[in-house]
Each structure stands twice: as C-alpha cells, then as structure tokens.
C-alpha cells in the first residue's frame, strides 16, 4: 500500500476541526482515518482530535485482521469506546456540550479493505469501472434522495445539505455502517471530509486520481481546487493506492 494524508483549514474557517491520519498496527496492517468535528467554540476540534487519538492508540495495540469480520468487530468495539468517551467528556465539560464528529475509516491489507462510516464524510473507490462512492451519507438530504423526495442533483444545492443525522459522541449509542471490498493492483481509495466532496465533482476527483503524479501532488491538487471553489470548510483527504507486491509502508 501507498498512502497520503493531507488536511487544510480552507479559506474561511479560523481553525481546523478536521483530523485523521494513517496508522499501522503490530502486523503492519494500515488504518486510514478521517474525522470532521462539529460543535460550538472549539468543541469540534476536541471531538475529532480525541477520536483520532483513541482509535490510533487502539490500532497500535492490535494484531492481524485475518478476515473482514475481524475488522468489523474491531471497528464496532472502537466506535463504542470512542462514542462513550466523547459523550461523557461533553457532559463534564459544558463548553463542549453537543460536540461530535463524523468518522470514515478503512482497514487495508493485501487481502481486503473494510470501511466504517458514521456521518457524511465519504469513501470512494477508483478501479477499472471508474470512481464510485462506497459509503452512504448519514444526512438529511441523503435520506430525502433515498426516499425519492429530491434528486441527487437537488441535494447538491439543498439549504440543509450539511445536516448530519448520525455522528460520534452526540448520543449515548451510535452504530457505524460497514463495507468490505477486495483490492486489485492499481485500485485507489479516497477518504474525505465534506470540505472536499462539496467542492469537487466525482468527475474532478476521478480525473485527478488518474493523473500520473505522486500521491502527494494529487492530494494537494484536490485541496487547491476545493479552495479555489470557495474553501468555506476545512478540507481533509486520504488517498490509498494498492500496489501488489509493494511494501505496506
């Protein structure tokens, strides 16, 4: 695997409430994490930073994920722990009342990739069939699209586009959605916050990912375009590329 993590405050926000990174466990399996925090004052920043810290420390102590079921079980236990800690932290710190974060994460090894998702941060796959969104947004507009009340095109400009219906830390209990895919050589995953997906079309993303550039250059190009298109939100992304026979790091 090759991977790059990149985050940017954007053009409008005074601080970055996104967080995440690329982490490895004791068996050298990769975990890619993007968390987009929300809440008054700096509470979103607290939520996403706590999420990154808790999940990365837990991952560092873990061992080989032999099957997708192992990965899902690990994710479910991690999400439960993170949610419990965030929810209780907010209860004991009034300035963080109502804080929460989205979470999209992928466990990647040379056999499979398992994705966990809560909120409206996304994971896409680019393969021989093109770019496809793997995750479902837990948002008001996505529910309206799913129910056939508005079109996908209408959703892009809906005034309540960023109303998230599920997040880590805002309720006593939360569950993630899971999806597992098989990686083939040359396939790429793109994990991102809505600061990217709101500003780049899937066509834009696909074109940039297919360019013969270093992963870092492709990531920077996406962030630059998101900023050129307004940059009203923090922008965070991870690109993971599967190269058969390559080193994990």
């Amino acid at each position: 695997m090759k991977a790059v993590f990149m985050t940017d405050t954007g053009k409008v926000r005074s601080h970055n409430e996104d967080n995440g990174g690329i982490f490895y466990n004791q068996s050298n399996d990769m975990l890619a994490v993007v968390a987009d925090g929300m809440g008054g004052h700096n509470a979103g920043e607290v939520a996403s930073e706590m999420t990154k810290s808790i999940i990365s420390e837990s991952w560092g102590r873990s061992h080989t994920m032999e099957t997708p079921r192992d990965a899902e079980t690990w994710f479910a236990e991690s999400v439960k722990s993170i949610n419990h800690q965030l929810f209780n932290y907010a209860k004991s710190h009034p300035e963080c009342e109502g804080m929460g974060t989205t979470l999209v994460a992928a466990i990647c090894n040379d056999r499979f990739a398992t994705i966990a998702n809560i909120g409206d941060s996304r994971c896409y796959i680019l393969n021989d069939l093109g770019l496809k969104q793997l995750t479902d947004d837990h948002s008001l507009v996505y529910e309206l699209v799913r129910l056939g009340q508005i079109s996908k095109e209408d959703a892009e400009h809906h005034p309540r586009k960023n109303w998230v219906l599920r997040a880590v830390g805002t309720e006593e209990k939360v569950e993630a959605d899971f999806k597992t895919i098989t990686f083939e050589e040359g396939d790429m995953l793109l994990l991102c916050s809505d600061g990217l997906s709101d500003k780049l079309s899937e066509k834009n993303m696909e074109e940039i990912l297919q360019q013969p550039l270093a992963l870092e250059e492709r990531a920077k190009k996406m962030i630059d375009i998101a900023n050129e298109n307004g940059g009203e939100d923090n922008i965070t992304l991870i690109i993971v590329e599967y190269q058969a026979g390559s080193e994990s790091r």
Side-chain angles (χ1 to χ4, degrees):
M1 302 288 168
K2 283 191 173 182
V4 60
F5 166 79
M6 201 168 287
T7 187
D8 189 86
T9 304
K11 295 295 187 183
V12 175
R13 301 285 179 91
S14 60
H15 58 282
N16 195 343
E17 294 190 332
D18 287 1
N19 217 311
I22 299 160
F23 312 100
Y24 296 87
N25 68 3
Q26 296 184 21
S27 300
N28 218 28
D29 291 338
M30 178 191 294
L31 172 69
V33 177
V34 169
D36 180 354
M38 60 193 77
H41 305 291
N42 294 330
E45 197 171 340
V46 173
S48 62
E49 169 63 33
M50 286 181 65
T51 296
K52 180 201 76 171
S53 297
I54 295 164
I55 200 169
S56 62
E57 287 172 15
S58 175
W59 183 248
R61 297 190 298 269
S62 72
H63 296 276
T64 302
M65 300 287 148
E66 295 287 353
T67 66
R69 185 173 182 83
D70 291 341
E72 287 188 16
T73 299
W74 185 87
F75 268 138
E77 291 172 353
S78 297
V79 165
K80 183 178 179 180
S81 174
I82 295 165
N83 192 73
H84 176 75
Q85 292 183 60
L86 264 61
F87 187 76
N88 286 329
Y89 185 92
K91 282 203 299 185
S92 60
H93 294 77
E95 72 277 10
C96 291
E97 182 181 358
M99 78 173 186
T101 183
T102 70
L103 175 66
V104 63
I107 290 172
C108 305
N109 58 34
D110 59 3
R111 298 177 300 284
F112 61 86
T114 295
I115 298 101
N117 176 57
I118 299 168
D120 64 352
S121 292
R122 295 179 176 177
C123 180
Y124 299 86
I125 185 169
L126 176 69
N127 57 21
D128 291 342
L129 301 176
L131 188 76
K132 177 186 177 185
Q133 184 177 335
L134 293 174
T135 53
D136 293 331
D137 296 352
H138 302 136
S139 65
L140 175 64
V141 294
Y142 185 85
E143 282 302 301
L144 295 175
V145 171
R146 191 179 64 82
L147 294 170
Q149 296 183 16
I150 63 173
S151 69
K152 194 172 180 180
E153 291 71 30
D154 291 338
E156 294 301 316
H157 308 288
H158 197 282
R160 296 177 180 175
K161 180 178 180 179
N162 300 114
W163 280 33
V164 175
L165 300 180
R166 199 190 305 182
V168 183
T170 57
E171 305 285 345
E172 278 197 81
K173 294 182 179 179
V174 70
E175 291 186 0
D177 291 346
F178 302 114
K179 183 165 289 188
T180 293
I181 54 119
T182 302
F183 256 158
E184 296 185 8
E185 186 168 10
D187 289 356
M188 280 184 261
L189 290 183
L190 171 65
L191 290 77
C192 65
S193 63
D194 63 347
L196 185 79
S197 57
D198 281 353
K199 293 298 175 183
L200 271 74
S201 67
E202 291 187 8
K203 184 180 179 184
N204 289 152
M205 294 176 185
E206 183 173 347
E207 288 174 348
I208 294 168
L209 288 174
Q210 289 176 331
Q211 291 180 3
L213 302 170
L215 290 188
E216 290 80 5
E217 292 179 68
R218 282 176 266 188
K220 185 177 184 304
K221 199 163 190 176
M222 287 189 183
I223 286 177
D224 288 345
I225 293 174
N227 278 321
E228 287 166 11
N229 290 339
E232 293 91 352
D233 201 354
N234 308 142
I235 308 153
T236 301
L237 66 94
I238 294 174
I239 303 171
V240 180
E241 182 178 20
Y242 180 56
Q243 295 181 324
S246 67
E247 294 293 322
S248 291
R249 303 194 198 206

